[in-house]
Amino acid sequence: MKRTLCRLALSFIICLFSFSPAGAQTDTLTVRIKGMRCDECAHKVMVAVRQLPGIESVHSNTERRTTTVAFDPTLTCADSIKARLAATGRFKPSSYSPQDTIRRGMGLRMDDMHCQGCANRIVKRLQQMEGVDSLAPHLDKHYVFVRYDANRTCKADIKRAVSELGYTPVNYYSGPKVAFAYYAIPKEQATEETVDKALILDGVEDVSVNARRGAMAVTFFNDETTPDKLLADIRQKGIDAQLPPAHECKEENTDKQ
C-alpha cells in the first residue's frame, strides 16, 4: 500500500513539473525591419507583435533595424509573427543573419578636433576598429563621417573610441536648424549624470562629455532654443559650463602619435 502511494505521489510530482511554466519552452525569432528607423517605430513594432498570444518579450535594435521576439511556440509561431508585422504595411520583416553586412553612416562633430594632426589621430584609431569601412574628416566643419557595418560595431563603440583619445564627439547633421555648442566644464562634472541632465533640456539632441579634457559638447535645434538660453538652462541644472577661450592648436600637422 505504501509503495502504491509513493508511486502515485511520484507520478503527481512528475505531472506537476511537466506542466509547470518553468518548464515551458521558449523560441526566438530575429528579423530585419527596414522601415523601423527610430524608437517610436520600435514601439509601434512592439505594440503590433504584442497583439499575438504567447509573446514573452520584444527587443529592437534600431541601428541594425532588427527585432528579436521571444514566444511560446504552443501559442504562436514565427510565421504568425511575420504575418502580423507584414500586415502593418510599414514594418514588413525580412530575413536576418549575424553574418549579414548592414552598412550605416554617421557624422561626428568634434569642436576639439582642431587640426590635421587631430584628424589623423582620430582616423588612425577608427581604422583599427572591426566593422569601420571608410572615414572622411572635414576639418573646416570639425566633423568626421564614418561608414561602418552595424553587425560588427555600433555608434556607441565608435564614439567611445574617439572619446578615449581625448575628443568630445556628438551627432553631426547638416541643415539650417541644427547647431552645436562646446563648453569647458569641471572635470569632476564630466559624468553620465551631467549628460542626463543636459539631454532633457529643450532643443537638445545629443550630449557628450570628456573628463580628460574637461569639456561638454551639445547638438541642438536652433528653432527650439538659442545659444544663450541653452547655456543658461545648462547652468540652471547645476553644471558649471563656460565658453572656452579661443584655441591655439599646438598639434603638429602630422599623423604621428
Side-chain angles (χ1 to χ4, degrees):
M1 181 67 177
K2 289 183 178 179
R3 184 176 299 177
T4 301
L5 289 174
C6 288
R7 286 176 180 173
L8 288 173
L10 180 61
S11 298
F12 175 77
I13 292 170
I14 291 173
C15 289
L16 183 63
F17 277 92
S18 296
F19 290 99
S20 171
Q25 183 181 354
T26 297
D27 284 357
T28 59
L29 169 71
T30 300
V31 293
R32 290 276 303 278
I33 304 176
K34 294 182 178 180
M36 185 182 65
R37 298 174 179 271
C38 63
D39 290 340
E40 185 178 355
C41 292
H43 178 73
K44 291 178 180 178
V45 166
M46 181 189 69
V47 170
V49 173
R50 284 282 189 184
Q51 293 177 8
L52 294 170
I55 301 300
E56 297 178 1
S57 66
V58 182
H59 298 290
S60 294
N61 183 311
T62 55
E63 192 170 355
R64 290 198 305 258
R65 294 177 193 163
T66 61
T67 293
T68 299
V69 183
F71 61 95
D72 182 343
T74 66
L75 298 175
T76 190
C77 64
D79 286 344
S80 294
I81 295 169
K82 292 177 184 177
R84 180 70 194 93
L85 288 168
T88 66
R90 181 177 177 181
F91 303 119
K92 294 180 180 179
S94 59
S95 61
Y96 167 77
S97 167
Q99 282 69 51
D100 290 344
T101 297
I102 303 176
R103 298 197 184 281
R104 293 285 180 267
M106 67 181 299
L108 291 179
R109 167 88 175 203
M110 289 161 282
D111 279 82
D112 35 29
M113 183 180 74
H114 302 109
C115 67
Q116 190 62 50
C118 294
N120 291 344
R121 187 173 300 107
I122 292 166
V123 168
K124 182 178 180 180
R125 173 65 184 91
L126 294 184
Q127 283 177 334
Q128 297 171 353
M129 293 187 68
E130 181 185 5
V132 173
D133 294 334
S134 62
L135 299 153
H138 299 264
L139 274 175
D140 57 330
K141 296 182 179 179
H142 300 281
Y143 91 97
V144 174
F145 183 79
V146 185
R147 178 78 63 182
Y148 65 100
D149 178 356
N151 244 353
R152 306 289 178 270
T153 188
C154 64
K155 289 182 180 180
D157 286 348
I158 293 169
K159 283 186 172 183
R160 188 177 302 110
V162 173
S163 295
E164 288 171 354
L165 287 178
Y167 300 97
T168 319
V170 286
N171 294 335
Y172 173 86
Y173 309 99
S174 59
K177 293 184 179 182
V178 182
F180 308 92
Y182 183 82
Y183 309 108
I185 63 172
K187 291 184 177 181
E188 61 270 19
Q189 285 195 329
T191 63
E192 285 301 315
E193 182 182 359
T194 292
V195 171
D196 292 340
K197 287 179 179 179
L199 275 174
I200 64 174
L201 297 175
D202 291 343
V204 171
E205 191 276 336
D206 191 30
V207 179
S208 177
V209 294
N210 195 297
R212 177 175 166 182
R213 193 179 290 268
M216 180 169 75
V218 182
T219 302
F220 68 96
F221 298 111
N222 56 30
D223 61 341
E224 297 181 29
T225 189
T226 65
D228 289 344
K229 184 178 184 303
L230 177 61
L231 180 55
D233 288 345
I234 288 172
R235 288 173 174 170
Q236 192 174 26
K237 288 292 183 181
I239 304 166
D240 185 15
Q242 306 291 333
L243 294 175
H247 178 79
E248 295 182 7
C249 193
K250 298 179 181 179
E251 298 277 1
E252 295 182 6
N253 190 5
T254 178
D255 59 358
K256 294 181 180 180
Q257 270 195 350

